[in-house]
Amino acid sequence: MSKFPIKPLLLQIHSVAGLAAALVLAMMGITGAIMSFEDEIQAGLNASLAHVPPGAVAPLAPGELVARLQADPDGGKVAAITLSRDPSAAVRIRFARGEDGARPSSVFVDPRDGHVLGTPRGEAFFATVRRLHRWLLLPGDGNGAGRQITGAAVLGLVVLLITGLVLRWPRRAGSAALWLKPQLGLSGRGLHRSLHTVIGTWLLPVYLVMALTGLSYSYGWYKDGLTWLLAPASPPMQMSSPKAPRDGRSESRPEPQPVALDLVWATVLREAGDRFSTVQLTLPAGAGTAVRVRSWLHDANDGARDEFRVDGVSGRLLAAERYADKTPGERALARILDIHRGSILGLPGQIVFMMAGALMPLFAVTGVLLYVSRRRLRRPRQAPSIQLVPGE
């Protein structure tokens, strides 16, 4: 009895998944590579705006700073404030979306007098690249069809990685050298196959990490499963929301209460102490009162941060998640974006992940070429037609 032809079946699955997801994966790879050093690029572009000259004037309290900005009738509603321990660093203000759904550009502000220094360069470009990477610029953003398409493409990438590894698995241990060494002296189909398979083998672990972390941004069930696996005993911090009326009568939404930022800031300084380098305060949307606080630690070069929830009316601490108290699984969940883009490994990791993203179109092109050439090889050859010369 002949063995079940598993490899031809896997090759068919690999080809179909590759053709279906090639264009989307190539686009996601390029945009991901562009965003690999977004923070460093924006820091270089905005070096002159992000810092203020030294002076003897003390910085304004966050509440006074926001009040001066909101006094401008043409200014948007402040949504987030990023402050630094560095006295020469400007404060970055991000605004909420307007009635038309558009979000105004953020601004750098002088912390001493609330003077607007300017709009960050490159912000609109990277915002567009991010929307293209996550949602293909389709309407609805995270609630539209783009999120489902990119999620399906990443699932297809997992299928490609698994089937590709099985198809490439060496029959003999001694063939590993040929398995990992590209044959650059070949041409045509041979070169395409060598580039596709050998480089894909080298980058397989990187693409697998990208896929398994990226799926958490596409599917809620996957994120819940990842949380259950890595941190089953840690319920996520919840933002406060207004309670529904007990008598069941429909009421209009309550008016949002003013946020006492100075009380919030006092709580942040008490809880974070002298451990932070940068703090971001995200103000509540709608009628909520909880302010989300992210505090990046100054003694950690790996992007570690503490998180707090502070009541914006009373300044009371609602919840706290300190990085030092987290389990390894909780730390992985907290830094899943850093894992996704390789920055958790420092500069070498960022470079490797950037190159992997930039090479994604190579697999799309070589995969299509291999599929077309394979179809041609399988096409039955026609018998040459014989034309008789008159008189023969």
Side-chain angles (χ1 to χ4, degrees):
M1 182 181 293
S2 61
K3 295 182 179 181
F4 183 75
I6 184 65
K7 283 202 170 183
L9 176 61
L10 290 179
L11 180 60
Q12 188 70 14
I13 295 174
H14 188 87
S15 300
V16 172
L19 290 173
L23 184 59
V24 176
L25 289 176
M27 182 278 305
M28 294 178 71
I30 293 174
T31 52
I34 293 173
M35 292 189 297
S36 295
F37 287 89
E38 175 184 355
D39 294 339
E40 291 80 0
I41 293 173
Q42 289 212 56
L45 291 175
N46 299 292
S48 60
L49 289 176
H51 293 83
V52 295
V57 181
L60 297 173
E64 176 63 21
L65 192 67
V66 170
R68 294 193 181 190
L69 286 173
Q70 302 285 223
D72 183 2
D74 296 329
K77 179 184 177 182
V78 174
I81 313 161
T82 302
L83 305 106
S84 175
R85 177 177 293 277
D86 183 359
S88 66
V91 176
R92 188 163 183 173
I93 303 292
R94 290 181 171 85
F95 298 98
R97 295 184 183 276
E99 295 181 357
D100 57 353
R103 186 185 298 275
S105 299
S106 63
V107 294
F108 284 114
V109 175
D110 191 323
R112 299 166 301 188
D113 57 10
H115 173 68
V116 175
L117 302 173
T119 300
R121 302 181 185 94
E123 182 183 55
F125 169 77
F126 281 108
T128 302
V129 172
R130 190 176 301 106
R131 290 181 60 237
L132 180 60
H133 181 80
R134 295 179 177 178
W135 310 308
L136 306 178
L137 295 179
L138 294 179
D141 291 343
N143 297 321
R147 183 180 182 183
Q148 301 303 318
I149 295 174
T150 55
V154 176
L155 285 175
L157 176 60
V158 175
V159 173
L160 290 170
L161 296 174
I162 296 174
T163 56
L165 180 62
V166 175
L167 291 170
R168 281 230 70 204
W169 198 262
R171 297 181 180 178
R172 301 184 306 276
S175 63
L178 294 176
W179 195 52
L180 298 175
K181 182 180 179 180
Q183 304 296 317
L184 301 180
L186 300 177
S187 62
R189 175 179 170 80
L191 178 61
H192 300 156
R193 187 177 188 278
S194 179
L195 293 175
H196 189 88
T197 56
V198 176
I199 298 179
T201 302
W202 280 106
L203 294 178
L204 187 145
V206 177
Y207 288 142
L208 190 60
V209 171
M210 287 181 175
L212 295 181
T213 53
L215 284 172
S216 64
Y217 295 100
S218 296
Y219 299 110
W221 57 265
Y222 182 87
K223 185 176 182 180
D224 294 340
L226 207 59
T227 303
W228 173 83
L229 179 66
L230 297 177
S234 58
M237 291 192 295
Q238 300 292 333
M239 298 291 283
S240 64
S241 56
K243 297 181 180 180
R246 295 183 179 181
D247 56 5
R249 292 178 298 176
S250 61
E251 293 183 3
S252 59
R253 289 186 177 182
E255 291 293 328
Q257 301 183 51
V259 175
L261 269 181
D262 293 342
L263 294 178
V264 173
W265 184 239
T267 302
V268 171
L269 292 178
R270 184 181 70 247
E271 296 297 328
D274 59 353
R275 299 186 304 275
F276 76 91
S277 62
T278 305
V279 171
Q280 183 183 73
L281 309 177
T282 301
L283 305 186
T289 60
V291 177
R292 181 181 185 182
V293 181
R294 292 181 175 182
S295 172
W296 281 268
L297 308 180
H298 73 83
D299 56 350
N301 297 321
D302 57 358
R305 66 174 184 262
D306 295 335
E307 294 204 21
F308 307 99
R309 296 291 187 274
V310 182
D311 183 71
V313 178
S314 64
R316 180 173 58 90
L317 180 67
L318 301 176
E321 287 186 359
R322 292 177 173 82
Y323 189 80
D325 299 333
K326 292 179 181 291
T327 65
E330 291 170 343
R331 292 185 180 188
L333 285 176
R335 302 198 54 201
I336 196 164
L337 178 60
D338 297 330
I339 299 173
H340 181 69
R341 61 185 184 181
S343 61
I344 196 170
L345 301 176
L347 181 59
Q350 280 184 276
I351 294 175
V352 170
F353 276 60
M354 179 193 68
M355 293 179 62
L359 286 173
M360 188 67 80
L362 171 69
F363 301 103
V365 173
T366 54
V368 171
L369 291 175
L370 287 171
Y371 176 80
V372 172
S373 62
R374 188 163 58 248
R375 296 277 295 181
R376 288 177 178 174
L377 290 174
R378 292 178 178 176
R379 187 179 302 166
R381 296 184 178 181
Q382 297 178 356
S385 59
I386 302 177
Q387 296 182 354
L388 297 178
V389 178
E392 293 184 340

Short mmCIF file of all heavy atoms in Angstrom, two decimals, residues 63-113:
data_model
loop_
_atom_site.label_atom_id
_atom_site.label_comp_id
_atom_site.label_asym_id
_atom_site.label_seq_id
_atom_site.Cartn_x
_atom_site.Cartn_y
_atom_site.Cartn_z
N GLY A 63 -2.55 70.76 35.42
CA GLY A 63 -3.88 71.35 35.33
C GLY A 63 -3.84 72.74 34.73
O GLY A 63 -4.67 73.09 33.88
N GLU A 64 -2.91 73.57 35.16
CA GLU A 64 -2.79 74.91 34.63
C GLU A 64 -2.36 74.88 33.17
O GLU A 64 -2.83 75.69 32.35
CB GLU A 64 -1.77 75.70 35.46
CG GLU A 64 -1.48 77.10 34.95
CD GLU A 64 -2.70 78.02 34.98
OE1 GLU A 64 -3.64 77.73 35.75
OE2 GLU A 64 -2.70 79.02 34.24
N LEU A 65 -1.49 73.94 32.83
CA LEU A 65 -1.02 73.82 31.45
C LEU A 65 -2.17 73.50 30.50
O LEU A 65 -2.35 74.14 29.45
CB LEU A 65 0.05 72.72 31.38
CG LEU A 65 0.87 72.63 30.09
CD1 LEU A 65 1.75 73.85 29.92
CD2 LEU A 65 1.72 71.36 30.12
N VAL A 66 -3.00 72.54 30.90
CA VAL A 66 -4.14 72.15 30.06
C VAL A 66 -5.16 73.28 30.02
O VAL A 66 -5.77 73.55 28.97
CB VAL A 66 -4.77 70.85 30.58
CG1 VAL A 66 -6.09 70.56 29.88
CG2 VAL A 66 -3.80 69.69 30.41
N ALA A 67 -5.36 73.98 31.13
CA ALA A 67 -6.33 75.08 31.16
C ALA A 67 -5.94 76.17 30.17
O ALA A 67 -6.81 76.76 29.51
CB ALA A 67 -6.44 75.63 32.58
N ARG A 68 -4.67 76.48 30.07
CA ARG A 68 -4.23 77.50 29.12
C ARG A 68 -4.46 77.05 27.68
O ARG A 68 -4.83 77.86 26.82
CB ARG A 68 -2.76 77.83 29.35
CG ARG A 68 -2.49 78.49 30.69
CD ARG A 68 -1.09 79.08 30.75
NE ARG A 68 -0.82 79.69 32.06
CZ ARG A 68 0.23 80.44 32.33
NH1 ARG A 68 1.14 80.67 31.37
NH2 ARG A 68 0.41 80.96 33.53
N LEU A 69 -4.25 75.77 27.42
CA LEU A 69 -4.49 75.27 26.07
C LEU A 69 -5.98 75.27 25.73
O LEU A 69 -6.38 75.64 24.63
CB LEU A 69 -3.94 73.86 25.92
CG LEU A 69 -2.42 73.70 25.83
CD1 LEU A 69 -2.04 72.24 25.85
CD2 LEU A 69 -1.90 74.36 24.56
N GLN A 70 -6.81 74.85 26.68
CA GLN A 70 -8.24 74.78 26.42
C GLN A 70 -8.89 76.15 26.35
O GLN A 70 -10.02 76.28 25.88
CB GLN A 70 -8.93 73.94 27.51
CG GLN A 70 -8.40 72.53 27.64
CD GLN A 70 -8.85 71.59 26.54
OE1 GLN A 70 -9.20 70.46 26.78
NE2 GLN A 70 -8.85 72.04 25.31
N ALA A 71 -8.17 77.20 26.80
CA ALA A 71 -8.72 78.54 26.69
C ALA A 71 -8.80 79.01 25.25
O ALA A 71 -9.58 79.93 24.93
CB ALA A 71 -7.85 79.52 27.50
N ASP A 72 -8.03 78.37 24.36
CA ASP A 72 -8.08 78.71 22.94
C ASP A 72 -9.32 78.06 22.33
O ASP A 72 -9.44 76.83 22.30
CB ASP A 72 -6.83 78.20 22.24
CG ASP A 72 -6.79 78.58 20.77
OD1 ASP A 72 -7.72 79.27 20.29
OD2 ASP A 72 -5.83 78.19 20.08
N PRO A 73 -10.28 78.85 21.83
CA PRO A 73 -11.51 78.25 21.28
C PRO A 73 -11.27 77.40 20.06
O PRO A 73 -12.08 76.53 19.72
CB PRO A 73 -12.38 79.48 20.94
CG PRO A 73 -11.41 80.61 20.80
CD PRO A 73 -10.28 80.32 21.73
N ASP A 74 -10.16 77.65 19.34
CA ASP A 74 -9.86 76.86 18.15
C ASP A 74 -9.11 75.57 18.48
O ASP A 74 -8.91 74.73 17.59
CB ASP A 74 -9.01 77.69 17.17
CG ASP A 74 -9.77 78.91 16.66
OD1 ASP A 74 -11.01 78.82 16.57
OD2 ASP A 74 -9.13 79.94 16.39
N GLY A 75 -8.66 75.42 19.72
CA GLY A 75 -7.94 74.22 20.10
C GLY A 75 -8.88 73.05 20.34
O GLY A 75 -10.04 73.22 20.70
N GLY A 76 -8.38 71.83 20.15
CA GLY A 76 -9.19 70.65 20.37
C GLY A 76 -9.22 70.26 21.84
O GLY A 76 -8.57 70.88 22.69
N LYS A 77 -9.97 69.23 22.14
CA LYS A 77 -10.05 68.72 23.50
C LYS A 77 -8.82 67.87 23.80
O LYS A 77 -8.49 66.96 23.04
CB LYS A 77 -11.33 67.90 23.68
CG LYS A 77 -11.47 67.31 25.07
CD LYS A 77 -12.70 66.42 25.16
CE LYS A 77 -12.79 65.78 26.54
NZ LYS A 77 -13.97 64.85 26.63
N VAL A 78 -8.16 68.16 24.89
CA VAL A 78 -6.95 67.42 25.24
C VAL A 78 -7.32 65.99 25.62
O VAL A 78 -8.22 65.76 26.44
CB VAL A 78 -6.21 68.11 26.41
CG1 VAL A 78 -5.03 67.26 26.88
CG2 VAL A 78 -5.74 69.49 25.98
N ALA A 79 -6.61 65.02 25.02
CA ALA A 79 -6.88 63.61 25.29
C ALA A 79 -5.74 62.95 26.07
O ALA A 79 -5.99 62.03 26.85
CB ALA A 79 -7.10 62.84 23.98
N ALA A 80 -4.51 63.41 25.87
CA ALA A 80 -3.38 62.78 26.57
C ALA A 80 -2.25 63.80 26.72
O ALA A 80 -2.07 64.68 25.87
CB ALA A 80 -2.88 61.56 25.81
N ILE A 81 -1.52 63.65 27.81
CA ILE A 81 -0.38 64.53 28.11
C ILE A 81 0.82 63.67 28.43
O ILE A 81 0.73 62.73 29.23
CB ILE A 81 -0.69 65.43 29.33
CG1 ILE A 81 -2.08 66.07 29.20
CG2 ILE A 81 0.37 66.49 29.52
CD1 ILE A 81 -2.62 66.56 30.51
N THR A 82 1.94 63.97 27.79
CA THR A 82 3.18 63.24 28.05
C THR A 82 4.19 64.20 28.67
O THR A 82 4.57 65.20 28.05
CB THR A 82 3.75 62.64 26.76
OG1 THR A 82 2.77 61.77 26.18
CG2 THR A 82 5.01 61.83 27.05
N LEU A 83 4.59 63.90 29.89
CA LEU A 83 5.53 64.75 30.62
C LEU A 83 6.81 63.97 30.90
O LEU A 83 6.80 62.74 31.02
CB LEU A 83 4.92 65.22 31.95
CG LEU A 83 3.57 65.94 31.86
CD1 LEU A 83 2.46 65.02 32.34
CD2 LEU A 83 3.58 67.21 32.68
N SER A 84 7.90 64.69 31.02
CA SER A 84 9.20 64.07 31.23
C SER A 84 9.84 64.60 32.51
O SER A 84 9.57 65.72 32.95
CB SER A 84 10.13 64.35 30.04
OG SER A 84 11.44 63.87 30.28
N ARG A 85 10.69 63.78 33.12
CA ARG A 85 11.45 64.22 34.28
C ARG A 85 12.50 65.23 33.87
O ARG A 85 12.92 66.08 34.67
CB ARG A 85 12.10 63.02 34.96
CG ARG A 85 12.99 63.39 36.14
CD ARG A 85 13.52 62.14 36.81
NE ARG A 85 12.45 61.40 37.44
CZ ARG A 85 11.96 61.67 38.66
NH1 ARG A 85 12.47 62.68 39.36
NH2 ARG A 85 10.99 60.97 39.18
N ASP A 86 12.94 65.17 32.61
CA ASP A 86 13.95 66.10 32.10
C ASP A 86 13.35 67.51 32.05
O ASP A 86 12.37 67.75 31.34
CB ASP A 86 14.40 65.66 30.70
CG ASP A 86 15.50 66.54 30.14
OD1 ASP A 86 15.92 67.50 30.81
OD2 ASP A 86 15.93 66.27 29.00
N PRO A 87 13.90 68.47 32.79
CA PRO A 87 13.32 69.82 32.80
C PRO A 87 13.41 70.54 31.46
O PRO A 87 12.69 71.51 31.24
CB PRO A 87 14.13 70.55 33.88
CG PRO A 87 15.42 69.79 33.97
CD PRO A 87 15.08 68.36 33.68
N SER A 88 14.29 70.07 30.57
CA SER A 88 14.42 70.72 29.27
C SER A 88 13.50 70.10 28.22
O SER A 88 13.49 70.56 27.07
CB SER A 88 15.87 70.64 28.78
OG SER A 88 16.24 69.30 28.51
N ALA A 89 12.75 69.07 28.58
CA ALA A 89 11.88 68.40 27.61
C ALA A 89 10.54 69.11 27.52
O ALA A 89 9.96 69.53 28.53
CB ALA A 89 11.67 66.95 28.02
N ALA A 90 10.04 69.27 26.30
CA ALA A 90 8.73 69.86 26.09
C ALA A 90 7.64 68.86 26.44
O ALA A 90 7.86 67.64 26.43
CB ALA A 90 8.59 70.32 24.64
N VAL A 91 6.47 69.36 26.74
CA VAL A 91 5.30 68.52 27.01
C VAL A 91 4.60 68.24 25.69
O VAL A 91 4.41 69.16 24.88
CB VAL A 91 4.35 69.21 28.00
CG1 VAL A 91 3.09 68.38 28.20
CG2 VAL A 91 5.05 69.46 29.32
N ARG A 92 4.23 66.98 25.48
CA ARG A 92 3.52 66.64 24.25
C ARG A 92 2.04 66.46 24.56
O ARG A 92 1.67 65.73 25.49
CB ARG A 92 4.08 65.36 23.63
CG ARG A 92 3.49 65.06 22.25
CD ARG A 92 4.33 64.07 21.49
NE ARG A 92 3.82 63.83 20.15
CZ ARG A 92 4.46 63.10 19.23
NH1 ARG A 92 5.64 62.55 19.52
NH2 ARG A 92 3.95 62.94 18.03
N ILE A 93 1.20 67.14 23.80
CA ILE A 93 -0.24 67.12 24.00
C ILE A 93 -0.89 66.45 22.79
O ILE A 93 -0.64 66.84 21.65
CB ILE A 93 -0.81 68.53 24.17
CG1 ILE A 93 -0.13 69.27 25.34
CG2 ILE A 93 -2.32 68.48 24.36
CD1 ILE A 93 -0.44 68.71 26.69
N ARG A 94 -1.73 65.46 23.07
CA ARG A 94 -2.53 64.82 22.02
C ARG A 94 -3.99 65.15 22.23
O ARG A 94 -4.45 65.22 23.38
CB ARG A 94 -2.31 63.30 22.02
CG ARG A 94 -0.93 62.88 21.54
CD ARG A 94 -0.79 61.35 21.56
NE ARG A 94 0.44 60.93 20.90
CZ ARG A 94 1.62 60.86 21.49
NH1 ARG A 94 1.74 61.20 22.77
NH2 ARG A 94 2.69 60.47 20.83
N PHE A 95 -4.70 65.35 21.12
CA PHE A 95 -6.10 65.80 21.19
C PHE A 95 -7.05 64.68 20.82
O PHE A 95 -6.69 63.73 20.12
CB PHE A 95 -6.31 67.00 20.25
CG PHE A 95 -5.49 68.19 20.61
CD1 PHE A 95 -4.29 68.46 19.95
CD2 PHE A 95 -5.89 69.07 21.61
CE1 PHE A 95 -3.52 69.56 20.27
CE2 PHE A 95 -5.13 70.17 21.95
CZ PHE A 95 -3.94 70.43 21.28
N ALA A 96 -8.29 64.81 21.29
CA ALA A 96 -9.33 63.84 20.99
C ALA A 96 -9.86 64.08 19.58
O ALA A 96 -9.66 65.15 18.98
CB ALA A 96 -10.46 63.95 22.01
N ARG A 97 -10.53 63.09 19.05
CA ARG A 97 -11.14 63.22 17.73
C ARG A 97 -12.26 64.25 17.76
O ARG A 97 -12.99 64.36 18.75
CB ARG A 97 -11.69 61.87 17.26
CG ARG A 97 -10.62 60.81 17.03
CD ARG A 97 -11.24 59.54 16.48
NE ARG A 97 -10.23 58.50 16.33
CZ ARG A 97 -9.43 58.37 15.26
NH1 ARG A 97 -9.55 59.23 14.27
NH2 ARG A 97 -8.55 57.40 15.20
N GLY A 98 -12.40 64.96 16.65
CA GLY A 98 -13.47 65.93 16.54
C GLY A 98 -14.79 65.28 16.15
O GLY A 98 -14.90 64.06 16.04
N GLU A 99 -15.80 66.10 15.94
CA GLU A 99 -17.11 65.58 15.57
C GLU A 99 -17.08 64.87 14.22
O GLU A 99 -17.90 63.99 13.95
CB GLU A 99 -18.13 66.72 15.55
CG GLU A 99 -18.37 67.35 16.92
CD GLU A 99 -19.40 68.45 16.86
OE1 GLU A 99 -19.88 68.74 15.74
OE2 GLU A 99 -19.75 69.01 17.92
N ASP A 100 -16.14 65.25 13.36
CA ASP A 100 -16.04 64.61 12.06
C ASP A 100 -15.21 63.32 12.09
O ASP A 100 -15.01 62.69 11.07
CB ASP A 100 -15.41 65.57 11.05
CG ASP A 100 -14.04 66.07 11.49
OD1 ASP A 100 -13.64 65.77 12.65
OD2 ASP A 100 -13.37 66.77 10.69
N GLY A 101 -14.75 62.93 13.27
CA GLY A 101 -13.96 61.71 13.39
C GLY A 101 -12.48 61.89 13.18
O GLY A 101 -11.71 60.95 13.41
N ALA A 102 -12.05 63.06 12.75
CA ALA A 102 -10.63 63.30 12.51
C ALA A 102 -9.94 63.71 13.80
O ALA A 102 -10.52 64.42 14.63
CB ALA A 102 -10.45 64.39 11.45
N ARG A 103 -8.69 63.27 13.94
CA ARG A 103 -7.92 63.61 15.13
C ARG A 103 -6.93 64.72 14.78
O ARG A 103 -6.10 64.56 13.87
CB ARG A 103 -7.16 62.40 15.65
CG ARG A 103 -6.45 62.65 16.98
CD ARG A 103 -5.61 61.46 17.38
NE ARG A 103 -6.42 60.28 17.59
CZ ARG A 103 -7.05 59.97 18.72
NH1 ARG A 103 -6.96 60.82 19.75
NH2 ARG A 103 -7.76 58.88 18.84
N PRO A 104 -6.97 65.86 15.48
CA PRO A 104 -6.00 66.93 15.21
C PRO A 104 -4.59 66.48 15.51
O PRO A 104 -4.36 65.55 16.30
CB PRO A 104 -6.45 68.06 16.16
CG PRO A 104 -7.84 67.72 16.56
CD PRO A 104 -7.94 66.23 16.52
N SER A 105 -3.62 67.13 14.89
CA SER A 105 -2.23 66.81 15.14
C SER A 105 -1.87 67.18 16.58
O SER A 105 -2.40 68.14 17.14
CB SER A 105 -1.33 67.58 14.17
OG SER A 105 -1.60 67.22 12.83
N SER A 106 -0.98 66.41 17.17
CA SER A 106 -0.51 66.73 18.50
C SER A 106 0.45 67.91 18.44
O SER A 106 0.89 68.31 17.35
CB SER A 106 0.18 65.51 19.13
OG SER A 106 1.33 65.16 18.39
N VAL A 107 0.77 68.46 19.59
CA VAL A 107 1.64 69.63 19.63
C VAL A 107 2.64 69.47 20.77
O VAL A 107 2.39 68.76 21.76
CB VAL A 107 0.84 70.94 19.84
CG1 VAL A 107 -0.04 71.24 18.64
CG2 VAL A 107 0.02 70.88 21.12
N PHE A 108 3.79 70.12 20.61
CA PHE A 108 4.76 70.26 21.69
C PHE A 108 4.50 71.60 22.38
O PHE A 108 4.27 72.62 21.71
CB PHE A 108 6.19 70.22 21.17
CG PHE A 108 6.66 68.83 20.81
CD1 PHE A 108 6.93 68.49 19.50
CD2 PHE A 108 6.84 67.87 21.80
CE1 PHE A 108 7.36 67.23 19.17
CE2 PHE A 108 7.28 66.60 21.48
CZ PHE A 108 7.55 66.27 20.16
N VAL A 109 4.55 71.60 23.70
CA VAL A 109 4.21 72.78 24.49
C VAL A 109 5.34 73.07 25.46
O VAL A 109 5.92 72.15 26.06
CB VAL A 109 2.88 72.56 25.25
CG1 VAL A 109 2.58 73.73 26.16
CG2 VAL A 109 1.74 72.32 24.28
N ASP A 110 5.65 74.34 25.62
CA ASP A 110 6.64 74.76 26.61
C ASP A 110 6.04 74.54 28.00
O ASP A 110 4.99 75.10 28.32
CB ASP A 110 6.99 76.24 26.40
CG ASP A 110 8.19 76.67 27.22
OD1 ASP A 110 8.34 76.18 28.36
OD2 ASP A 110 8.98 77.50 26.73
N PRO A 111 6.66 73.72 28.84
CA PRO A 111 6.06 73.43 30.16
C PRO A 111 6.04 74.62 31.10
O PRO A 111 5.35 74.57 32.13
CB PRO A 111 6.97 72.31 30.70
CG PRO A 111 8.28 72.52 30.02
CD PRO A 111 7.95 73.04 28.65
N ARG A 112 6.76 75.70 30.78
CA ARG A 112 6.85 76.83 31.70
C ARG A 112 5.75 77.85 31.52
O ARG A 112 5.38 78.56 32.46
CB ARG A 112 8.21 77.50 31.57
CG ARG A 112 9.37 76.57 31.91
CD ARG A 112 10.70 77.12 31.45
NE ARG A 112 10.73 77.36 29.99
CZ ARG A 112 11.82 77.68 29.32
NH1 ARG A 112 12.97 77.85 29.96
NH2 ARG A 112 11.77 77.87 28.02
N ASP A 113 5.21 77.96 30.29
CA ASP A 113 4.18 78.97 30.06
C ASP A 113 3.03 78.48 29.19
O ASP A 113 2.10 79.25 28.90
CB ASP A 113 4.80 80.23 29.44
CG ASP A 113 5.52 79.94 28.14
OD1 ASP A 113 5.39 78.81 27.60
OD2 ASP A 113 6.26 80.84 27.66
#
